[in-house]
Amino acid sequence: MNTKTSAFVPDAVSVHPRSLKVGGEWLASFAVTGYPREVHPGWLQPLLTYPGRVDVSLHIEPIDPVTAANRLKKQLSKLESGRRHTSEKGRLLDPQVEAATEDAYDLSARVARGEGKLYRFGLYLTVHAPTEEALGDEVAAVRSLAASLLLDCKPTTYRSLQGWITSLPMGLDLIGMRRTFDTSALASAFPFTSPDLPPPDPTSVGAPTGVLYGFNIGSQGLVHHDRFALDNHNSVILGRSGAGKSYLVKLELLRSLYRGIEVHVIDPEDEYGRLAAAVGGNQIRLGAEGVRLNPMDLPIHTRPDGRRTAPRDALVRRSLFLHTVVAVLLGRELEAAERAVLDRAIAATYQRVGITSDPRTWTRSAPLLADLAKILEATGGTQLAAGLEPYVSGSFSGLFSGPTTTRPEGHLVVFALRDLSDELKPIGTLLALDAVWRQVSNPAIRKRRLVVVDEAWLLMKERAGAEFLFRASKTFRKHKAGLVAITQDTPDLLASHLGKAVVANAATQILLRQSPQAIDEICSVFNLSLGERQFLLSADRGQGLLSTGTQRVAFQAIASPAEHYLVTSDPAEVAEMPSTAADIESAFVELDAA
């Protein structure tokens, strides 16, 4: 025997009346003899996605038009004579004969007009199992699945060897159980549909790109998704509390870091600290002692060659941003007169430290919020200065009492907002978003980035946060960045105009388990089917629907023990974990080695 082909030949073949033993494997073959009256595209897909090993073999033989016309003519003559005989005898008409006659007339007309052709079609199944007992269970499961598709499967009794050969990719039909199909029915039988996401390049034989989300519930395959291969890189993740939203996002972030993608996170509940410590990320705890962000810093970018540059309208944009900062601090919209006074005071504050419209002066040290308050009080903005007093020298001055102490740079930057008081969370969130926008819009460094906004409903309550999400969803694509908005308050997000715009501008949409109170609106917005609705109502933790345009896939998130250690938020598990960065890194190394 040729040594090149010996590896593909079994050691022995044992033939039984209804089964075969090929090497160490047991097989049973079936021929499909009964079909449903009407089929839809992809109707054989359940057989192809059966979790066990099943070979599905289709044998197609075209029938020449002359032979097809003659056969249809004979069949119509038989059916019509039978109908007339039944009518002459005064008997009731057989509904099956009536349906067959109508189908024959319709098929004959389409063939005569050249709208279709006839084919002889054979469908055969071969079930594989490791043992004879397991083969019986697999055969019963496959026949039940075929019966649910209105397929009548008959075992190839005493022709088990011929049935197996017929299922092999050799083009040999040794069973000969054929049915006549027309073009449309035959086209529907081809497995053109699949529960798996289509690859970006179907002709490529390389490994799948993107991030591993988990396994496909429908086909048991793996779900890889590359958001940067879509029209935009944004995503929204919607699900009830405890559905596994943060768990899934942290998994994606960890696996995205392996691909060289920079990540920025707005973390209101301090859930990303353990992950940041393990991968050497930069965690900025706003509200902690000594952590300050100066809102008057100009957006100066450092190029790879060390040169420092800024946009041409950097000073104007910073002045407009300071209008928003003051409005958030005061908790109200500014009147026209107040805006005029504030605008003059901002310009005077920058001029006092030598920063003018000349870009060469923009690298000088920026003034502080206290300097702006003094100028306001001296130029007629007494009321505005009084409103800024708690943030300049009062109880809330810790965040603004000096120059910026930390820079949001690194492969993973987490802005932890948990230590901020409720009064400072709006302005802290705004400053964090501004720092993220500086990095994303830096023209000197164009890297792929992800900006994660956890619990986005907290930002949507604040106008500044809602406007940032809206602007980010529109413009991040131009800067090779993607916005990831996570929320459990789905009705409130979809109730606002800006929230709907954020969802509409996300090419990737992930729906996890939903509450019964929100499912109707979710189904309406995302056009879900009844089966998808039931799936989202009963999904386990970590299960969800990944939607990319017209493609949807049901998946289950999976993580390795080391990944689970870093991304879990289970209070019982977190309580037993170390809290220092050194201990976290040591435990991570031990898990990875195990």
Side-chain angles (χ1 to χ4, degrees), residues 121-154:
F121 176 80
L123 176 60
Y124 306 96
L125 310 176
T126 297
V127 183
H128 298 250
T131 64
E132 188 174 8
E133 292 77 11
L135 181 63
D137 296 336
E138 291 291 327
V139 165
V142 171
R143 296 191 71 174
S144 298
L145 176 60
S148 68
L149 301 175
L150 301 181
L151 296 175
D152 188 12
C153 295
K154 299 297 183 182

PDB file of all heavy atoms in Angstrom, residues 121-154:
ATOM      1  N   PHE A 121     -32.273  14.165  -6.784  1.00  0.00           N
ATOM      2  CA  PHE A 121     -31.603  14.603  -5.555  1.00  0.00           C
ATOM      3  C   PHE A 121     -31.627  13.465  -4.534  1.00  0.00           C
ATOM      4  O   PHE A 121     -32.683  12.873  -4.259  1.00  0.00           O
ATOM      5  CB  PHE A 121     -32.323  15.836  -4.998  1.00  0.00           C
ATOM      6  CG  PHE A 121     -31.795  16.327  -3.680  1.00  0.00           C
ATOM      7  CD1 PHE A 121     -30.644  17.104  -3.619  1.00  0.00           C
ATOM      8  CD2 PHE A 121     -32.441  16.024  -2.490  1.00  0.00           C
ATOM      9  CE1 PHE A 121     -30.167  17.572  -2.412  1.00  0.00           C
ATOM     10  CE2 PHE A 121     -31.975  16.482  -1.284  1.00  0.00           C
ATOM     11  CZ  PHE A 121     -30.828  17.253  -1.236  1.00  0.00           C
ATOM     12  N   GLY A 122     -30.459  13.162  -3.978  1.00  0.00           N
ATOM     13  CA  GLY A 122     -30.352  12.150  -2.933  1.00  0.00           C
ATOM     14  C   GLY A 122     -29.678  12.728  -1.705  1.00  0.00           C
ATOM     15  O   GLY A 122     -28.634  13.395  -1.814  1.00  0.00           O
ATOM     16  N   LEU A 123     -30.265  12.476  -0.533  1.00  0.00           N
ATOM     17  CA  LEU A 123     -29.730  13.006   0.729  1.00  0.00           C
ATOM     18  C   LEU A 123     -29.454  11.824   1.653  1.00  0.00           C
ATOM     19  O   LEU A 123     -30.353  11.026   1.956  1.00  0.00           O
ATOM     20  CB  LEU A 123     -30.735  13.969   1.370  1.00  0.00           C
ATOM     21  CG  LEU A 123     -30.381  14.536   2.742  1.00  0.00           C
ATOM     22  CD1 LEU A 123     -29.066  15.318   2.687  1.00  0.00           C
ATOM     23  CD2 LEU A 123     -31.502  15.443   3.256  1.00  0.00           C
ATOM     24  N   TYR A 124     -28.212  11.736   2.135  1.00  0.00           N
ATOM     25  CA  TYR A 124     -27.797  10.602   2.961  1.00  0.00           C
ATOM     26  C   TYR A 124     -27.064  11.125   4.192  1.00  0.00           C
ATOM     27  O   TYR A 124     -26.332  12.137   4.134  1.00  0.00           O
ATOM     28  CB  TYR A 124     -26.885   9.658   2.167  1.00  0.00           C
ATOM     29  CG  TYR A 124     -27.493   9.199   0.862  1.00  0.00           C
ATOM     30  CD1 TYR A 124     -27.186   9.864  -0.338  1.00  0.00           C
ATOM     31  CD2 TYR A 124     -28.398   8.150   0.822  1.00  0.00           C
ATOM     32  CE1 TYR A 124     -27.745   9.462  -1.528  1.00  0.00           C
ATOM     33  CE2 TYR A 124     -28.972   7.738  -0.375  1.00  0.00           C
ATOM     34  CZ  TYR A 124     -28.643   8.406  -1.549  1.00  0.00           C
ATOM     35  OH  TYR A 124     -29.218   8.016  -2.734  1.00  0.00           O
ATOM     36  N   LEU A 125     -27.228  10.425   5.307  1.00  0.00           N
ATOM     37  CA  LEU A 125     -26.609  10.796   6.574  1.00  0.00           C
ATOM     38  C   LEU A 125     -25.801   9.618   7.103  1.00  0.00           C
ATOM     39  O   LEU A 125     -26.238   8.461   7.011  1.00  0.00           O
ATOM     40  CB  LEU A 125     -27.663  11.179   7.618  1.00  0.00           C
ATOM     41  CG  LEU A 125     -28.724  12.201   7.199  1.00  0.00           C
ATOM     42  CD1 LEU A 125     -29.738  12.375   8.321  1.00  0.00           C
ATOM     43  CD2 LEU A 125     -28.079  13.533   6.854  1.00  0.00           C
ATOM     44  N   THR A 126     -24.648   9.902   7.667  1.00  0.00           N
ATOM     45  CA  THR A 126     -23.832   8.903   8.340  1.00  0.00           C
ATOM     46  C   THR A 126     -23.470   9.421   9.729  1.00  0.00           C
ATOM     47  O   THR A 126     -22.882  10.507   9.855  1.00  0.00           O
ATOM     48  CB  THR A 126     -22.552   8.595   7.548  1.00  0.00           C
ATOM     49  OG1 THR A 126     -22.899   8.033   6.283  1.00  0.00           O
ATOM     50  CG2 THR A 126     -21.684   7.594   8.305  1.00  0.00           C
ATOM     51  N   VAL A 127     -23.842   8.646  10.742  1.00  0.00           N
ATOM     52  CA  VAL A 127     -23.632   9.032  12.145  1.00  0.00           C
ATOM     53  C   VAL A 127     -22.407   8.299  12.669  1.00  0.00           C
ATOM     54  O   VAL A 127     -22.244   7.085  12.432  1.00  0.00           O
ATOM     55  CB  VAL A 127     -24.872   8.692  12.992  1.00  0.00           C
ATOM     56  CG1 VAL A 127     -24.671   9.159  14.435  1.00  0.00           C
ATOM     57  CG2 VAL A 127     -26.113   9.335  12.390  1.00  0.00           C
ATOM     58  N   HIS A 128     -21.542   9.018  13.396  1.00  0.00           N
ATOM     59  CA  HIS A 128     -20.317   8.456  13.963  1.00  0.00           C
ATOM     60  C   HIS A 128     -20.423   8.425  15.484  1.00  0.00           C
ATOM     61  O   HIS A 128     -21.013   9.330  16.099  1.00  0.00           O
ATOM     62  CB  HIS A 128     -19.096   9.284  13.566  1.00  0.00           C
ATOM     63  CG  HIS A 128     -18.839   9.329  12.098  1.00  0.00           C
ATOM     64  ND1 HIS A 128     -17.770   8.702  11.491  1.00  0.00           N
ATOM     65  CD2 HIS A 128     -19.527   9.934  11.077  1.00  0.00           C
ATOM     66  CE1 HIS A 128     -17.799   8.921  10.192  1.00  0.00           C
ATOM     67  NE2 HIS A 128     -18.850   9.675   9.919  1.00  0.00           N
ATOM     68  N   ALA A 129     -19.829   7.415  16.108  1.00  0.00           N
ATOM     69  CA  ALA A 129     -19.793   7.301  17.564  1.00  0.00           C
ATOM     70  C   ALA A 129     -18.599   6.441  17.959  1.00  0.00           C
ATOM     71  O   ALA A 129     -18.160   5.574  17.192  1.00  0.00           O
ATOM     72  CB  ALA A 129     -21.086   6.700  18.100  1.00  0.00           C
ATOM     73  N   PRO A 130     -18.058   6.629  19.170  1.00  0.00           N
ATOM     74  CA  PRO A 130     -16.879   5.845  19.574  1.00  0.00           C
ATOM     75  C   PRO A 130     -17.202   4.403  19.951  1.00  0.00           C
ATOM     76  O   PRO A 130     -16.338   3.529  19.852  1.00  0.00           O
ATOM     77  CB  PRO A 130     -16.333   6.631  20.770  1.00  0.00           C
ATOM     78  CG  PRO A 130     -17.518   7.358  21.311  1.00  0.00           C
ATOM     79  CD  PRO A 130     -18.369   7.699  20.126  1.00  0.00           C
ATOM     80  N   THR A 131     -18.430   4.127  20.427  1.00  0.00           N
ATOM     81  CA  THR A 131     -18.815   2.775  20.832  1.00  0.00           C
ATOM     82  C   THR A 131     -20.162   2.421  20.223  1.00  0.00           C
ATOM     83  O   THR A 131     -20.910   3.306  19.756  1.00  0.00           O
ATOM     84  CB  THR A 131     -18.890   2.658  22.365  1.00  0.00           C
ATOM     85  OG1 THR A 131     -19.939   3.519  22.852  1.00  0.00           O
ATOM     86  CG2 THR A 131     -17.563   3.042  23.013  1.00  0.00           C
ATOM     87  N   GLU A 132     -20.488   1.140  20.271  1.00  0.00           N
ATOM     88  CA  GLU A 132     -21.769   0.695  19.721  1.00  0.00           C
ATOM     89  C   GLU A 132     -22.932   1.213  20.550  1.00  0.00           C
ATOM     90  O   GLU A 132     -23.986   1.568  20.002  1.00  0.00           O
ATOM     91  CB  GLU A 132     -21.805  -0.832  19.655  1.00  0.00           C
ATOM     92  CG  GLU A 132     -23.012  -1.391  18.925  1.00  0.00           C
ATOM     93  CD  GLU A 132     -22.945  -2.889  18.761  1.00  0.00           C
ATOM     94  OE1 GLU A 132     -22.029  -3.517  19.349  1.00  0.00           O
ATOM     95  OE2 GLU A 132     -23.805  -3.445  18.044  1.00  0.00           O
ATOM     96  N   GLU A 133     -22.771   1.275  21.875  1.00  0.00           N
ATOM     97  CA  GLU A 133     -23.837   1.807  22.724  1.00  0.00           C
ATOM     98  C   GLU A 133     -24.051   3.298  22.454  1.00  0.00           C
ATOM     99  O   GLU A 133     -25.193   3.770  22.355  1.00  0.00           O
ATOM    100  CB  GLU A 133     -23.492   1.581  24.198  1.00  0.00           C
ATOM    101  CG  GLU A 133     -23.489   0.130  24.641  1.00  0.00           C
ATOM    102  CD  GLU A 133     -22.249  -0.605  24.186  1.00  0.00           C
ATOM    103  OE1 GLU A 133     -21.292   0.068  23.713  1.00  0.00           O
ATOM    104  OE2 GLU A 133     -22.227  -1.848  24.279  1.00  0.00           O
ATOM    105  N   ALA A 134     -22.959   4.053  22.322  1.00  0.00           N
ATOM    106  CA  ALA A 134     -23.091   5.477  22.023  1.00  0.00           C
ATOM    107  C   ALA A 134     -23.682   5.697  20.652  1.00  0.00           C
ATOM    108  O   ALA A 134     -24.403   6.685  20.430  1.00  0.00           O
ATOM    109  CB  ALA A 134     -21.725   6.172  22.121  1.00  0.00           C
ATOM    110  N   LEU A 135     -23.432   4.782  19.719  1.00  0.00           N
ATOM    111  CA  LEU A 135     -24.001   4.919  18.376  1.00  0.00           C
ATOM    112  C   LEU A 135     -25.515   4.854  18.420  1.00  0.00           C
ATOM    113  O   LEU A 135     -26.201   5.601  17.708  1.00  0.00           O
ATOM    114  CB  LEU A 135     -23.448   3.827  17.463  1.00  0.00           C
ATOM    115  CG  LEU A 135     -23.942   3.848  16.011  1.00  0.00           C
ATOM    116  CD1 LEU A 135     -23.502   5.128  15.318  1.00  0.00           C
ATOM    117  CD2 LEU A 135     -23.450   2.625  15.247  1.00  0.00           C
ATOM    118  N   GLY A 136     -26.075   3.969  19.251  1.00  0.00           N
ATOM    119  CA  GLY A 136     -27.524   3.898  19.363  1.00  0.00           C
ATOM    120  C   GLY A 136     -28.123   5.204  19.854  1.00  0.00           C
ATOM    121  O   GLY A 136     -29.165   5.648  19.345  1.00  0.00           O
ATOM    122  N   ASP A 137     -27.476   5.847  20.828  1.00  0.00           N
ATOM    123  CA  ASP A 137     -27.979   7.132  21.338  1.00  0.00           C
ATOM    124  C   ASP A 137     -27.875   8.217  20.271  1.00  0.00           C
ATOM    125  O   ASP A 137     -28.793   9.035  20.102  1.00  0.00           O
ATOM    126  CB  ASP A 137     -27.192   7.542  22.581  1.00  0.00           C
ATOM    127  CG  ASP A 137     -27.384   6.563  23.743  1.00  0.00           C
ATOM    128  OD1 ASP A 137     -28.429   5.872  23.748  1.00  0.00           O
ATOM    129  OD2 ASP A 137     -26.495   6.493  24.603  1.00  0.00           O
ATOM    130  N   GLU A 138     -26.744   8.240  19.550  1.00  0.00           N
ATOM    131  CA  GLU A 138     -26.572   9.258  18.521  1.00  0.00           C
ATOM    132  C   GLU A 138     -27.571   9.074  17.376  1.00  0.00           C
ATOM    133  O   GLU A 138     -28.132  10.040  16.850  1.00  0.00           O
ATOM    134  CB  GLU A 138     -25.138   9.204  17.962  1.00  0.00           C
ATOM    135  CG  GLU A 138     -24.069   9.655  18.932  1.00  0.00           C
ATOM    136  CD  GLU A 138     -24.147  11.146  19.222  1.00  0.00           C
ATOM    137  OE1 GLU A 138     -24.523  11.913  18.319  1.00  0.00           O
ATOM    138  OE2 GLU A 138     -23.871  11.538  20.360  1.00  0.00           O
ATOM    139  N   VAL A 139     -27.823   7.816  17.001  1.00  0.00           N
ATOM    140  CA  VAL A 139     -28.779   7.542  15.930  1.00  0.00           C
ATOM    141  C   VAL A 139     -30.173   8.017  16.327  1.00  0.00           C
ATOM    142  O   VAL A 139     -30.898   8.640  15.531  1.00  0.00           O
ATOM    143  CB  VAL A 139     -28.775   6.047  15.586  1.00  0.00           C
ATOM    144  CG1 VAL A 139     -29.997   5.679  14.752  1.00  0.00           C
ATOM    145  CG2 VAL A 139     -27.508   5.677  14.841  1.00  0.00           C
ATOM    146  N   ALA A 140     -30.573   7.738  17.565  1.00  0.00           N
ATOM    147  CA  ALA A 140     -31.888   8.180  18.027  1.00  0.00           C
ATOM    148  C   ALA A 140     -31.995   9.702  18.025  1.00  0.00           C
ATOM    149  O   ALA A 140     -33.031  10.262  17.629  1.00  0.00           O
ATOM    150  CB  ALA A 140     -32.155   7.626  19.430  1.00  0.00           C
ATOM    151  N   ALA A 141     -30.923  10.388  18.441  1.00  0.00           N
ATOM    152  CA  ALA A 141     -30.953  11.853  18.476  1.00  0.00           C
ATOM    153  C   ALA A 141     -31.021  12.429  17.066  1.00  0.00           C
ATOM    154  O   ALA A 141     -31.777  13.382  16.802  1.00  0.00           O
ATOM    155  CB  ALA A 141     -29.721  12.376  19.211  1.00  0.00           C
ATOM    156  N   VAL A 142     -30.253  11.875  16.134  1.00  0.00           N
ATOM    157  CA  VAL A 142     -30.254  12.398  14.766  1.00  0.00           C
ATOM    158  C   VAL A 142     -31.594  12.139  14.087  1.00  0.00           C
ATOM    159  O   VAL A 142     -32.127  13.000  13.375  1.00  0.00           O
ATOM    160  CB  VAL A 142     -29.093  11.784  13.966  1.00  0.00           C
ATOM    161  CG1 VAL A 142     -29.204  12.150  12.490  1.00  0.00           C
ATOM    162  CG2 VAL A 142     -27.757  12.259  14.512  1.00  0.00           C
ATOM    163  N   ARG A 143     -32.171  10.972  14.291  1.00  0.00           N
ATOM    164  CA  ARG A 143     -33.473  10.679  13.675  1.00  0.00           C
ATOM    165  C   ARG A 143     -34.566  11.576  14.263  1.00  0.00           C
ATOM    166  O   ARG A 143     -35.485  11.989  13.536  1.00  0.00           O
ATOM    167  CB  ARG A 143     -33.826   9.206  13.864  1.00  0.00           C
ATOM    168  CG  ARG A 143     -32.877   8.256  13.157  1.00  0.00           C
ATOM    169  CD  ARG A 143     -33.398   6.837  13.137  1.00  0.00           C
ATOM    170  NE  ARG A 143     -34.543   6.701  12.232  1.00  0.00           N
ATOM    171  CZ  ARG A 143     -35.116   5.531  11.948  1.00  0.00           C
ATOM    172  NH1 ARG A 143     -34.644   4.413  12.502  1.00  0.00           N
ATOM    173  NH2 ARG A 143     -36.145   5.477  11.125  1.00  0.00           N
ATOM    174  N   SER A 144     -34.474  11.883  15.543  1.00  0.00           N
ATOM    175  CA  SER A 144     -35.446  12.814  16.138  1.00  0.00           C
ATOM    176  C   SER A 144     -35.291  14.204  15.553  1.00  0.00           C
ATOM    177  O   SER A 144     -36.283  14.896  15.264  1.00  0.00           O
ATOM    178  CB  SER A 144     -35.259  12.851  17.658  1.00  0.00           C
ATOM    179  OG  SER A 144     -35.507  11.596  18.234  1.00  0.00           O
ATOM    180  N   LEU A 145     -34.025  14.634  15.368  1.00  0.00           N
ATOM    181  CA  LEU A 145     -33.792  15.943  14.760  1.00  0.00           C
ATOM    182  C   LEU A 145     -34.315  15.974  13.333  1.00  0.00           C
ATOM    183  O   LEU A 145     -34.952  16.954  12.903  1.00  0.00           O
ATOM    184  CB  LEU A 145     -32.293  16.261  14.789  1.00  0.00           C
ATOM    185  CG  LEU A 145     -31.853  17.553  14.095  1.00  0.00           C
ATOM    186  CD1 LEU A 145     -32.515  18.762  14.734  1.00  0.00           C
ATOM    187  CD2 LEU A 145     -30.328  17.691  14.132  1.00  0.00           C
ATOM    188  N   ALA A 146     -34.074  14.889  12.570  1.00  0.00           N
ATOM    189  CA  ALA A 146     -34.574  14.840  11.197  1.00  0.00           C
ATOM    190  C   ALA A 146     -36.100  14.839  11.170  1.00  0.00           C
ATOM    191  O   ALA A 146     -36.716  15.481  10.297  1.00  0.00           O
ATOM    192  CB  ALA A 146     -34.023  13.596  10.502  1.00  0.00           C
ATOM    193  N   ALA A 147     -36.732  14.138  12.108  1.00  0.00           N
ATOM    194  CA  ALA A 147     -38.189  14.125  12.155  1.00  0.00           C
ATOM    195  C   ALA A 147     -38.747  15.504  12.450  1.00  0.00           C
ATOM    196  O   ALA A 147     -39.817  15.873  11.934  1.00  0.00           O
ATOM    197  CB  ALA A 147     -38.661  13.121  13.210  1.00  0.00           C
ATOM    198  N   SER A 148     -38.027  16.299  13.255  1.00  0.00           N
ATOM    199  CA  SER A 148     -38.492  17.666  13.530  1.00  0.00           C
ATOM    200  C   SER A 148     -38.438  18.532  12.279  1.00  0.00           C
ATOM    201  O   SER A 148     -39.140  19.541  12.190  1.00  0.00           O
ATOM    202  CB  SER A 148     -37.652  18.290  14.642  1.00  0.00           C
ATOM    203  OG  SER A 148     -36.323  18.526  14.211  1.00  0.00           O
ATOM    204  N   LEU A 149     -37.584  18.145  11.316  1.00  0.00           N
ATOM    205  CA  LEU A 149     -37.513  18.853  10.034  1.00  0.00           C
ATOM    206  C   LEU A 149     -38.430  18.236   8.977  1.00  0.00           C
ATOM    207  O   LEU A 149     -38.348  18.601   7.800  1.00  0.00           O
ATOM    208  CB  LEU A 149     -36.069  18.837   9.515  1.00  0.00           C
ATOM    209  CG  LEU A 149     -35.006  19.476  10.415  1.00  0.00           C
ATOM    210  CD1 LEU A 149     -33.618  19.270   9.832  1.00  0.00           C
ATOM    211  CD2 LEU A 149     -35.289  20.950  10.622  1.00  0.00           C
ATOM    212  N   LEU A 150     -39.277  17.285   9.397  1.00  0.00           N
ATOM    213  CA  LEU A 150     -40.210  16.565   8.504  1.00  0.00           C
ATOM    214  C   LEU A 150     -39.457  15.740   7.475  1.00  0.00           C
ATOM    215  O   LEU A 150     -39.896  15.584   6.330  1.00  0.00           O
ATOM    216  CB  LEU A 150     -41.163  17.548   7.802  1.00  0.00           C
ATOM    217  CG  LEU A 150     -42.036  18.412   8.727  1.00  0.00           C
ATOM    218  CD1 LEU A 150     -42.944  19.313   7.895  1.00  0.00           C
ATOM    219  CD2 LEU A 150     -42.848  17.567   9.670  1.00  0.00           C
ATOM    220  N   LEU A 151     -38.315  15.193   7.892  1.00  0.00           N
ATOM    221  CA  LEU A 151     -37.535  14.289   7.056  1.00  0.00           C
ATOM    222  C   LEU A 151     -37.729  12.856   7.553  1.00  0.00           C
ATOM    223  O   LEU A 151     -37.652  12.595   8.756  1.00  0.00           O
ATOM    224  CB  LEU A 151     -36.047  14.638   7.096  1.00  0.00           C
ATOM    225  CG  LEU A 151     -35.631  15.993   6.528  1.00  0.00           C
ATOM    226  CD1 LEU A 151     -34.148  16.227   6.761  1.00  0.00           C
ATOM    227  CD2 LEU A 151     -35.952  16.075   5.046  1.00  0.00           C
ATOM    228  N   ASP A 152     -37.986  11.941   6.634  1.00  0.00           N
ATOM    229  CA  ASP A 152     -38.161  10.533   6.962  1.00  0.00           C
ATOM    230  C   ASP A 152     -36.872   9.787   6.616  1.00  0.00           C
ATOM    231  O   ASP A 152     -36.516   9.654   5.437  1.00  0.00           O
ATOM    232  CB  ASP A 152     -39.346   9.949   6.186  1.00  0.00           C
ATOM    233  CG  ASP A 152     -39.678   8.534   6.637  1.00  0.00           C
ATOM    234  OD1 ASP A 152     -39.143   8.111   7.674  1.00  0.00           O
ATOM    235  OD2 ASP A 152     -40.468   7.861   5.944  1.00  0.00           O
ATOM    236  N   CYS A 153     -36.149   9.340   7.630  1.00  0.00           N
ATOM    237  CA  CYS A 153     -34.857   8.683   7.441  1.00  0.00           C
ATOM    238  C   CYS A 153     -35.019   7.169   7.575  1.00  0.00           C
ATOM    239  O   CYS A 153     -35.560   6.681   8.577  1.00  0.00           O
ATOM    240  CB  CYS A 153     -33.845   9.180   8.468  1.00  0.00           C
ATOM    241  SG  CYS A 153     -33.437  10.918   8.295  1.00  0.00           S
ATOM    242  N   LYS A 154     -34.532   6.440   6.599  1.00  0.00           N
ATOM    243  CA  LYS A 154     -34.573   4.986   6.624  1.00  0.00           C
ATOM    244  C   LYS A 154     -33.138   4.450   6.687  1.00  0.00           C
ATOM    245  O   LYS A 154     -32.274   4.886   5.914  1.00  0.00           O
ATOM    246  CB  LYS A 154     -35.248   4.442   5.360  1.00  0.00           C
ATOM    247  CG  LYS A 154     -36.695   4.893   5.194  1.00  0.00           C
ATOM    248  CD  LYS A 154     -37.581   4.373   6.322  1.00  0.00           C
ATOM    249  CE  LYS A 154     -39.037   4.775   6.091  1.00  0.00           C
ATOM    250  NZ  LYS A 154     -39.910   4.324   7.195  1.00  0.00           N
TER     251      LYS A 154
END
